Structures are given as structure tokens and as C-alpha cells.
Amino acid sequence: MKFKAFLTENGVNLLEKRFLPALDKMGKVCHLFLTREKAYFLHNLLSGEGIQCVAQFHRETLFDDYRISSQNEDCIAFAIDISLLQRAVRSSVSICSEFGAAGSTANRLQIKLVKKLPPNCTQAMPFLTFETKGYKSAVIQDVPISKPLSRAQVLELQTALDMAQDLPPTLVQVPDLNQLQNFVDRMKHVGDLLNVSICKYGDLHLQISTTLITLGAEFRKLLVIGEKAVAPSEDRNLSAQTRSERAISRGDAQSVQVSVKHFSKSLQCHLAKPDCAFYGIAPQGACLTVIFQFFIPGTRQTDKSISLHCRLPVLDPGT
């Protein structure tokens, strides 16, 4: 089992300044899943608890001179502490900058899997090692990782990943995540459960209710991808709640209940600097899906080399 590559300048910037800060908010530990063509950061795909989060990068987006081999069809996966990974990348960047300022031209950041014998241990342990080579010196940083997953575990992870890629039939685009964040920040103090309704007309309804207060927000005429419908003219002057209930009864909308804490946590993905987000509800209300879209810099075209999405578990209304 071998993995070795150089992080590109773009890859370092994406990880250090955008994705690792966002992924760190999703949870302390994730799986790093490396294949011949892609690298994935995966949260909670095997545990089945909490928010599932999938960040996917094409190989060339992060790495240069990428070499991987294993008996699992050249796939390698292991658990890693994101905060330790973030610290290693950040300090490696700092060291590279110092070498660069000193006039070194060979200050490339290499990343590889190694086994080492830690102090006071009798058994070698796996590490993800960052090596920063300067003109006359090299700085090595070791990030501890779990034992790499077995063939059966890699297959289980791949199966969970394939299932997590399924798209909801209707997605509505929310161009301004700050509006959502401001609303959720106010709702946090009201209650713990959030009702989310998504309509084929391009409407997104959020509502939180307690015995004393009901607080809601409505986003209308959003861009719809997938199954669409035209809103009946007789619904035009009705309240947001009534419109939503009528749309659900007609089969033109779905509604689920999620944790306010989970919803708020998913919004922390704004740290990855997406250009917009899409919300959708899986068939049979299995989960609430949030897909973050990234554009190629300077264009309105989707950057297909990067993807990030979350799946929020749905709560039983009876609980």
C-alpha cells in the first residue's frame, strides 16, 4: 500500500483557506478516501449518525505527481483528525513561504503515507507525512492516522459513498447563504426542531414552532432543478403556511423535520466559499440534502473538479 504526491499551490489554498476550516466544523474526525482519480473527505458515512458530509476533489485539483497503489484496486482509506491535518498544512505553508523568501526554488510540499516507530512504542504506526524540502534542509511533519481500512471496509465506504451521491428529485437554489444564516441564528434561541418544506414551484419554507411562538421564513421563486410545477393562481394570496400545506397535499412539495443544530452546522460550509447552495429532500423524506456549488473563477460555469454536499438526518415528528 503506497501513496505519494505533491500538493499543488491551488490544492494548498483550497485545503488551508477553505475546505479544512469548513470540514473541521462538521466533525473532529473524517475518512480520507483516495482513489486513482479522486480524493474524498467523508464525515459519518459509516457511523450513520449526525450530518453526512462529502467533499470530493479531482486528483489534479489538489495534487501533482500523484502515485497510489494498493491491493484494494488502488484505493486507500483511513480516518484522520482534521484539526491536526489543518495544522500540518498551515505550518508547512509557513515553512514553504520562509524557504521561498530565502530564495529557494525547490520548496515543494510532498505528502505520503508512511509507517514509523513512535517514541516509547514497540509497534510501527501509520502516519500521513508532510515533507517540505528547501535548498539545504527539509522539515517533516507526521500526522497520525488510523490503520488503513481493510478491503471489506473500503467496499462498505464506497457503497455508502455511492448511496450518498443520490440527488433529490427537486432542488431549489439559495443564492444568499447569509440570509439563511441570519435566520437560523435567530431561531436557535426559539427551539430545537426545524420544519423544512421544499416546493416544485421554487419555494423554500423554514418554520420553528413551540407552544408559545411560531417563527418562519419563506424564500420564493427560487431556481428549480429537476421536477418542477407551476403554482396555482388561486394560491397567490394565501399565507405561506397555507400555500405550503396545499402544495404538500397536491404532491407538489415535501416537508421534513431536522435539528436546528444540524441545519446550522451545515451552513458552516460557507467557509469553503461556495458560490451558491441547493436544497432538496430525498424520496420518502429520507434526508435533507444541501449541495454547494462552485464556479470556475471568473465565470458562471460549474467547477466540476470540486464538489461538497451534506445530508441532514430527518427526525421522527413523534419524537
Side-chain angles (χ1 to χ4, degrees):
M1 185 178 293
K2 295 179 181 179
F3 166 69
K4 182 166 66 172
F6 286 94
L7 273 169
T8 63
E9 186 175 352
N10 181 49
V12 168
N13 287 333
L14 281 172
L15 292 178
E16 183 207 4
K17 297 177 181 176
R18 295 170 59 181
F19 279 85
L20 290 181
L23 294 172
D24 192 36
K25 298 291 186 181
M26 297 300 106
K28 180 180 171 63
V29 176
C30 77
H31 281 104
L32 179 51
F33 182 28
L34 302 166
T35 71
R36 293 188 194 112
E37 300 299 330
K38 295 179 180 178
Y40 301 87
F41 291 85
L42 307 172
H43 273 98
N44 297 325
L45 260 65
L46 294 182
S47 69
E49 296 180 2
I51 295 179
Q52 291 187 342
C53 182
V54 177
Q56 173 183 297
F57 303 89
H58 282 199
R59 184 178 82 180
E60 298 81 6
T61 306
L62 297 182
F63 304 111
D64 193 13
D65 196 12
Y66 183 92
R67 301 178 188 182
I68 188 169
S69 63
S70 80
Q71 293 180 343
N72 296 332
E73 297 183 356
D74 296 335
C75 293
I76 300 173
F78 49 85
I80 190 166
D81 185 307
I82 293 180
S83 61
L84 295 181
L85 177 60
Q86 193 176 359
R87 196 181 308 162
V89 172
R90 191 174 292 147
S91 57
S92 296
V93 168
S94 175
I95 293 162
C96 276
S97 299
E98 289 176 17
F99 283 158
S104 170
T105 57
N107 54 332
R108 299 182 72 197
L109 177 54
Q110 188 181 59
I111 179 172
K112 58 184 176 181
L113 274 180
V114 299
K115 262 194 166 187
K116 290 187 176 181
L117 193 65
N120 305 318
C121 287
T122 56
Q123 190 172 0
M125 305 288 286
F127 292 90
L128 191 63
T129 291
F130 291 79
E131 186 171 340
T132 312
K133 293 182 178 180
Y135 180 60
K136 292 184 178 180
S137 61
V139 177
I140 295 173
Q141 297 180 88
D142 296 326
V143 179
I145 62 171
S146 73
K147 180 182 176 182
L149 271 58
S150 66
R151 180 187 291 270
Q153 290 170 322
V154 168
L155 182 60
E156 184 184 0
L157 189 65
Q158 181 65 64
T159 303
L161 176 60
D162 292 341
M163 290 175 61
Q165 306 278 35
D166 290 342
L167 289 177
T170 298
L171 290 164
V172 294
Q173 184 189 55
V174 179
D176 189 356
L177 290 176
N178 287 329
Q179 276 185 299
L180 269 186
Q181 186 69 63
N182 292 336
F183 178 67
V184 171
D185 286 344
R186 293 199 304 274
M187 287 198 299
K188 278 189 212 173
H189 309 292
V190 177
D192 300 323
L193 305 178
L194 176 67
N195 290 304
V196 181
S197 300
I198 292 174
C199 183
K200 295 177 183 179
Y201 316 145
D203 298 346
L204 171 66
H205 301 265
L206 306 175
Q207 183 175 297
I208 188 165
S209 300
T210 68
T211 52
L212 299 175
I213 187 173
T214 296
L215 185 63
E218 181 184 37
F219 301 85
R220 300 190 70 189
K221 298 181 180 178
L222 302 173
L223 173 69
V224 179
I225 291 180
E227 295 180 10
K228 307 175 186 179
V230 178
S233 56
E234 63 266 24
D235 287 7
R236 201 168 292 162
N237 298 319
L238 300 176
S239 70
Q241 188 168 352
T242 303
R243 279 200 314 275
S244 179
E245 289 169 355
R246 286 167 67 100
I248 291 169
S249 68
R250 282 192 291 262
D252 287 340
Q254 271 188 291
S255 182
V256 291
Q257 192 174 71
V258 297
S259 157
V260 172
K261 183 178 177 183
H262 285 163
F263 195 88
S264 179
K265 184 182 278 192
S266 70
L267 288 173
Q268 294 301 311
C269 285
H270 78 87
L271 293 169
K273 300 177 183 175
D275 292 286
C276 63
F278 289 87
Y279 283 76
I281 297 172
Q284 285 79 52
C287 67
L288 176 66
T289 300
V290 191
I291 299 171
F292 299 93
Q293 187 177 29
F294 299 86
F295 295 143
I296 296 169
T299 75
R300 297 286 295 175
Q301 293 181 321
T302 301
D303 186 344
K304 294 182 179 178
S305 68
I306 305 170
S307 70
L308 175 65
H309 75 272
C310 298
R311 286 159 52 101
L312 281 64
V314 169
L315 305 175
D316 182 346
T319 59

